[in-house]
Amino acid sequence: MAGAGGPALAIAAMRGGAVGSLPCAMLTPAEIAAQVAAVRESAEGPLNLNFFCHHLPEPAPDEMAWRALLAPYYAAEGVEPGPPPPLRRPFDAALCEAVETARPAIVSFHFGLPDAALLARVRGTGAQLWGNATTVAEMRWLAAQGVDAVIAQGAEAGGHSGWFLGEAHAPTPLAVLLAETLGVPVIAAGGIADGADIARALAAGASAVQIGTAFLAAAESSIAAPFRALLGADVPTGFTNLFSGREARGIVNRLMRELGPIRSEAPAFPFASAALAPLRKAAEADGRGDYSPLWAGTGVARARAMAAELLVGQLVEELASARA
């Protein structure tokens, strides 16, 4: 939830009794340390640090075709390509050192796992290791690597699909993933917006649930106003590679409608976002999300605007009611 989650959201969720989580793929080690300190000063409970394990292509991909495709939008918005924003960083030795210093209760990984040496260092901190899977094959692979829990990310989930095995993106519905029996706990993710959804996931075999989209509408999330205005509305979502170069589920916006959700011109992850940065900035300043990654899952229409702490309490009450 980079760009949406941070210390404020983690603190509020933890005060409600949930596990707090910090997205770290776009943070420096110093920023991680500062955010962890901020959370620990204001809330108690387990904290998860989430990292990406993608591989940066070398050399950097050629963006000429991508910028040419975007040229009409530059002209229409009166902007020009500028310096690239910070890239999402794969987990490396520097980030691992930040984990060793912070010593969180949980470290979760997206797009597979880091190499064995780094993984051993994370294990040495005493943190639980959680891995994200989008297919049954990925679930089995992660369990074989000895993770403490597998996050079953169904096709319904918003944001980047964490697929890492196979040559093509092939997300699987959450119900299919939960039908798999593993030797480790499974955490359900994708399309879970209320207590009834939680009850169904637990009844299907999940040990816990991971919720993202429902917390976007919380007062403590840091999403832009045009994005927030769409939450709770009956808006379509779909997978697109336009905003980062890799498939992620988000609310369909102007760029997705006009270019189509998948384009071969988009540079490999995470480089596609650089060329969109000035377009996104200009549109958001004008109250539009035309070029923004509006990451959200299929439960977006049921997102409720309330403080995250209150939302956790509401979800607990709804779960109890659904189980009664």
Side-chain angles (χ1 to χ4, degrees):
M1 292 180 70
L9 185 57
I11 290 166
M14 291 167 72
R15 286 177 173 172
V19 172
S21 185
L22 293 174
C24 299
M26 296 183 70
L27 301 180
T28 65
E31 289 169 334
I32 292 171
Q35 291 198 11
V36 169
V39 171
R40 286 178 170 161
E41 287 175 1
S42 301
E44 296 181 355
L47 177 64
N48 168 48
L49 301 185
N50 176 256
F51 297 92
F52 283 5
C53 293
H54 58 289
H55 298 281
L56 291 175
E58 295 182 1
D62 185 351
E63 297 187 20
M64 289 184 61
W66 181 227
R67 291 179 183 269
L69 188 66
L70 297 176
Y73 296 101
Y74 290 132
E77 299 291 345
V79 300
E80 296 181 357
L87 291 174
R88 295 173 179 85
R89 298 179 58 197
F91 191 72
D92 58 15
L95 295 174
C96 188
E97 186 174 348
V99 169
E100 290 170 326
T101 300
R103 304 186 76 82
I106 304 157
V107 178
S108 61
F109 294 105
H110 215 61
F111 306 134
L113 296 175
D115 65 53
L118 291 176
L119 201 60
R121 287 175 58 182
V122 175
R123 281 198 172 99
T125 69
Q128 286 196 26
L129 300 180
W130 295 358
N132 186 90
T134 64
T135 65
V136 171
E138 290 175 350
M139 293 176 69
R140 293 172 178 170
W141 185 89
L142 288 170
Q145 307 311 304
V147 298
D148 295 292
V150 170
I151 301 165
Q153 185 192 23
E156 302 89 344
H160 283 94
S161 175
W163 70 274
F164 60 94
L165 292 181
E167 297 182 359
H169 177 234
T172 305
L174 179 59
V176 175
L177 298 179
L178 294 182
E180 177 68 12
T181 300
L182 296 179
V184 297
V186 173
I187 300 167
I192 299 171
D194 56 34
D197 293 334
I198 298 173
R200 282 190 290 270
L202 297 178
S207 297
V209 299
Q210 178 175 282
I211 300 176
T213 300
F215 282 95
L216 292 175
E220 298 85 359
S221 82
S222 53
I223 59 174
F227 188 0
R228 189 176 294 276
L230 296 172
L231 301 175
D234 187 15
V235 290
T237 67
F239 283 105
T240 179
N241 73 337
L242 298 181
F243 302 102
S244 71
R246 188 171 179 132
E247 289 87 347
R249 181 181 287 279
I251 297 171
V252 177
N253 62 0
R254 176 186 174 185
L255 199 69
M256 293 170 68
R257 287 191 298 268
E258 294 183 0
L259 295 184
I262 305 294
R263 295 294 300 226
S264 60
E265 295 93 336
F269 180 87
F271 289 91
S273 60
L276 287 170
L279 292 169
R280 176 181 178 179
K281 181 179 180 180
E284 287 185 354
D286 192 36
R288 294 178 286 123
D290 293 346
Y291 315 104
S292 302
L294 309 175
W295 302 146
T298 57
V300 64
R302 293 180 289 137
R304 296 167 282 188
M306 63 175 68
E309 182 177 355
L310 297 179
L311 175 59
V312 175
Q314 183 70 28
L315 292 171
V316 171
E317 290 180 6
E318 291 170 353
L319 172 60
S321 177
R323 284 176 148 178

